[in-house]
Amino acid sequence: MKRILLLFLVFASANHLLAQEAAIGVRDPEAHKNTDRLAILDTISLPFELSDDKKLSREDILNKKEGFFVTGLPRFEFDPIRGFGIGGNVFFFQNKTKEDPFFYYTPYRYSINTEFFIFENGRVRAAVNLDVPYIFNSKWRMRADAVIWEDPNAQYWGIGRESLNNLSFQDKSAGAEGGIRQFNRVNDYEENLKIAVPGNGGRLQTDTHYNQFIQRELLFNALGERVEMGGKLRLMFGYEALFTAFEDYTGQIAEEAFLADGTEVEAVQRQTLVNQQINDGTWDRFNLSGFSDGFKFTSMLAAALIYDTRDLEPDPSKGVFLQYSHEYSAPWLGSDFNFNKFMVQGQFIHTFHRWKNERNRLTFAGLAAFGHIFGPNINFIEMWDLSSQAEAGGILVLGGGRSLRGYREARFMAPTVGLVNLEMRARLHDFNAFNQHFALGLTPFYDFGTVWEGLSDVQLNNFRGAPGLGGRIAWNQSTILRLDYAQSREGGQFFFGFGHIF
């Protein structure tokens, strides 16, 4: 019932916002019959050559909105870690007119995405993202991002191949002397952590935050990109400034603690997993550092080589995307750390069938990614994402809403990571309302991946996977609303957000 009520609130809010936006730009309700754009397409002159593979599909050209417009949505979410959250995104787009030659080759001439979100547990995220393809009608693209982030319940499930093991902990329902028990469901595991048991001096102790720490982060980056080979080849380079600070819960009063009979009590947090692995030599083995309550500075140079034939980046119907990206941090850049990080990934998009005058379609989308981080002094938080330069923040691994959707965030983590996402994106219906264009669809998916302790340890076994089903709403093409539910052997998770996960 909670999920049904949540969806109702989301769509009710969307309709309210759309009603307010009706005055922003005028949309031709007969867009599908507007063949003028197709006629203009045959006569346009580009300032430089672009491949036909980069041209938008017929239905995307006919449905594309002209000029400046705004989309956005208040968001109401429930996160199994952080409880209820409220916030929103506002997207600003400039498409120019159908006379602009790039109108037929890019999803927008520029976009600005603003985001603010706060959760019940106190997690806060605020971000501004700027993206300007073919800036000044040149071969250059500019992107810039600024992100402020604080999370009182950042997840830590261990480092290395051992993180793939089943969940296990002392069975505290049997008292302070309970033996080690394996848990099939993450909810049962976490309820067991919250049970308080007598400690030294008789004071109650608990493990509520055993897999958690407090994270604070400031991120600023700027990237430049040049296209070659008719827009298929992209050469990208840039700079990132990351400020991070962390706090451990060991010894603090836990927010939640209960006796085995369910009585709420006050209890002290016992040693957390992050504290344990810092002190037992695990982090030394992986050259990890950076866990400090004072801000540490990670100064990084970034570069990427990308081959991209997708037709519409936010919601492609065909094409391939191949990327090698690399990040480098060293003291001579002013950094507190010294490491290298690379990722290779490939995406394949293919539409099997179109119908209803090509407005509906069935599209397969697949991603495979492989990443590795190495060096004498690694900021441990850099292991939380693959270093994709194609989007801000990279690909968070391995678990959560943008990788293995059936598992908790950072559930599996090591210096070397492999990830595969498979989706069948079905666009089933489209319509115009409030001077906006919408397309509705369903997306069954399957995610799987694994981690290794180094390149020499890579072997194709011990993968973790989870199936799921998602709903998609394409709003004026450039904004994709995503609702996903995934079920793994450790439980199910629901996500609502913006954009395909790749």
Side-chain angles (χ1 to χ4, degrees):
M1 286 300 296
K2 287 183 179 179
R3 288 190 178 121
I4 293 173
L5 177 61
L6 178 62
L7 290 175
F8 175 80
L9 290 172
V10 168
F11 285 106
S13 301
N15 286 334
H16 174 71
L17 186 64
L18 285 172
Q20 294 177 324
E21 290 182 352
I24 302 176
V26 178
R27 175 173 172 75
D28 179 5
E30 302 296 319
H32 290 293
K33 299 178 182 179
N34 182 4
T35 57
D36 292 344
R37 294 180 178 179
L38 298 180
I40 293 174
L41 178 60
D42 295 330
T43 63
I44 62 170
S45 176
L46 290 164
F48 49 86
E49 182 182 358
L50 286 176
S51 168
D52 285 343
D53 290 335
K54 302 298 295 180
K55 191 181 300 179
L56 303 184
S57 66
R58 179 180 182 274
E59 68 271 21
D60 287 333
I61 291 173
L62 294 177
N63 289 323
K64 190 172 181 180
K65 192 174 181 67
E66 294 186 56
F68 175 81
F69 64 96
V70 180
T71 63
L73 196 68
R75 289 165 55 185
F76 302 88
E77 296 188 13
F78 178 79
D79 186 298
I81 302 166
R82 303 169 181 94
F84 285 98
I86 185 170
N89 292 71
V90 179
F91 299 90
F92 302 87
F93 294 102
Q94 174 60 262
N95 282 349
K96 292 194 175 180
T97 68
K98 60 180 179 289
E99 282 74 28
D100 177 65
F102 293 103
F103 185 88
Y104 304 91
Y105 287 88
T106 185
Y108 42 77
R109 291 310 307 268
Y110 73 77
S111 74
I112 301 173
N113 170 24
T114 62
E115 174 185 338
F116 179 80
F117 220 91
I118 184 168
F119 275 87
E120 186 179 355
N121 76 325
R123 178 187 187 185
V124 177
R125 174 185 166 91
V128 178
N129 311 107
L130 170 69
D131 186 11
V132 190
Y134 304 118
I135 187 170
F136 306 127
N137 288 347
S138 72
K139 292 185 177 183
W140 287 94
R141 179 177 191 165
M142 182 183 73
R143 290 197 294 117
D145 309 287
V147 181
I148 301 175
W149 173 284
E150 180 169 343
D151 188 355
N153 300 115
Q155 301 289 287
Y156 182 83
W157 300 85
I159 297 286
R161 191 76 167 168
E162 291 182 359
S163 66
L164 296 168
N165 294 341
N166 294 336
L167 296 169
S168 63
F169 202 80
Q170 173 196 358
D171 185 1
K172 296 197 289 182
S173 64
E177 303 301 324
I180 299 300
R181 171 188 167 192
Q182 286 199 348
F183 295 84
N184 295 323
R185 314 291 285 183
V186 67
N187 288 339
D188 296 337
Y189 169 82
E190 290 179 329
E191 288 303 310
N192 178 74
L193 293 179
K194 295 176 184 178
I195 296 176
V197 296
N200 295 333
R203 188 170 188 183
L204 291 176
Q205 297 182 328
T206 187
D207 299 283
T208 301
H209 298 290
Y210 181 72
N211 296 109
Q212 299 174 354
F213 59 89
I214 300 170
Q215 175 184 0
R216 299 181 180 92
E217 181 174 306
L218 301 172
L219 169 68
F220 306 94
N221 67 31
L223 295 168
E225 173 187 308
R226 182 177 173 86
V227 299
E228 298 291 349
M229 294 177 57
K232 294 181 182 180
L233 186 67
R234 297 155 57 184
L235 307 173
M236 185 181 296
F237 59 90
Y239 174 78
E240 178 176 307
L242 176 66
F243 302 86
T244 52
F246 309 95
E247 188 176 340
D248 182 30
Y249 279 107
T250 300
Q252 297 187 24
I253 300 296
E255 295 176 4
E256 292 182 276
F258 304 90
L259 297 177
D261 63 6
T263 304
E264 187 172 357
V265 295
E266 181 181 280
V268 175
Q269 172 68 41
R270 295 199 291 190
Q271 187 181 36
T272 62
L273 181 59
V274 67
N275 185 287
Q276 174 186 320
Q277 293 198 336
I278 288 174
N279 289 292
D280 69 9
T282 300
W283 278 35
D284 292 335
R285 182 161 61 93
F286 291 106
N287 297 330
L288 303 182
S289 66
F291 197 100
S292 168
D293 57 4
F295 278 95
K296 296 290 186 179
F297 179 42
T298 308
S299 178
M300 287 188 288
L301 297 177
L305 180 65
I306 297 172
Y307 180 77
D308 184 4
T309 66
R310 296 172 301 170
D311 54 350
L312 180 69
E313 290 180 25
D315 190 19
S317 66
K318 64 178 181 178
V320 298
F321 178 88
L322 305 175
Q323 177 186 11
Y324 174 85
S325 62
H326 200 107
E327 294 178 354
Y328 168 67
S329 179
W332 70 269
L333 293 169
S335 180
D336 292 323
F337 304 95
N338 188 356
F339 62 87
N340 283 269
K341 180 178 178 182
F342 72 81
M343 185 202 69
V344 292
Q345 71 157 310
Q347 299 178 22
F348 176 71
I349 316 291
H350 178 72
T351 295
F352 289 102
H353 181 59
R354 300 177 186 267
W355 68 98
K356 200 177 178 181
N357 198 28
E358 297 191 356
R359 288 152 56 187
N360 296 347
R361 67 190 189 216
L362 182 65
T363 301
F364 168 79
L367 172 146
F370 178 87
H372 179 62
I373 186 169
F374 61 97
N377 184 15
I378 300 170
N379 185 352
F380 81 101
I381 202 65
E382 286 296 319
M383 299 184 70
W384 263 248
D385 69 273
L386 297 173
S387 60
S388 173
Q389 299 304 314
E391 59 179 306
I395 302 173
L396 297 181
V397 294
L398 196 55
R402 299 186 69 86
S403 57
L404 296 189
R405 284 165 276 190
Y407 290 93
R408 289 290 171 85
E409 292 178 8
R411 175 64 182 88
F412 313 112
M413 189 163 51
T416 309
V417 178
L419 170 67
V420 176
N421 301 116
L422 305 174
E423 298 189 344
M424 189 63 73
R425 302 170 182 172
R427 179 182 292 183
L428 303 176
H429 180 64
D430 73 321
F431 61 95
N432 297 297
F434 304 102
N435 291 326
Q436 313 288 308
H437 181 259
F438 298 90
L440 308 180
L442 291 175
T443 301
F445 59 83
Y446 186 76
D447 309 321
F448 64 96
T450 191
V451 297
W452 304 275
E453 299 194 358
L455 295 176
S456 61
D457 300 317
V458 172
Q459 49 189 308
L460 299 180
N461 61 10
N462 214 13
F463 282 83
R464 296 290 177 265
L469 179 65
R472 298 290 184 270
I473 303 174
W475 181 0
N476 288 339
Q477 299 173 301
S478 300
T479 303
I480 306 298
L481 280 69
R482 170 173 51 88
L483 300 93
D484 288 337
Y485 178 79
Q487 180 73 41
S488 74
R489 67 182 190 179
E490 294 183 356
Q493 295 193 125
F494 173 81
F495 301 95
F496 171 70
F498 283 88
H500 292 295
I501 70 167
F502 65 93

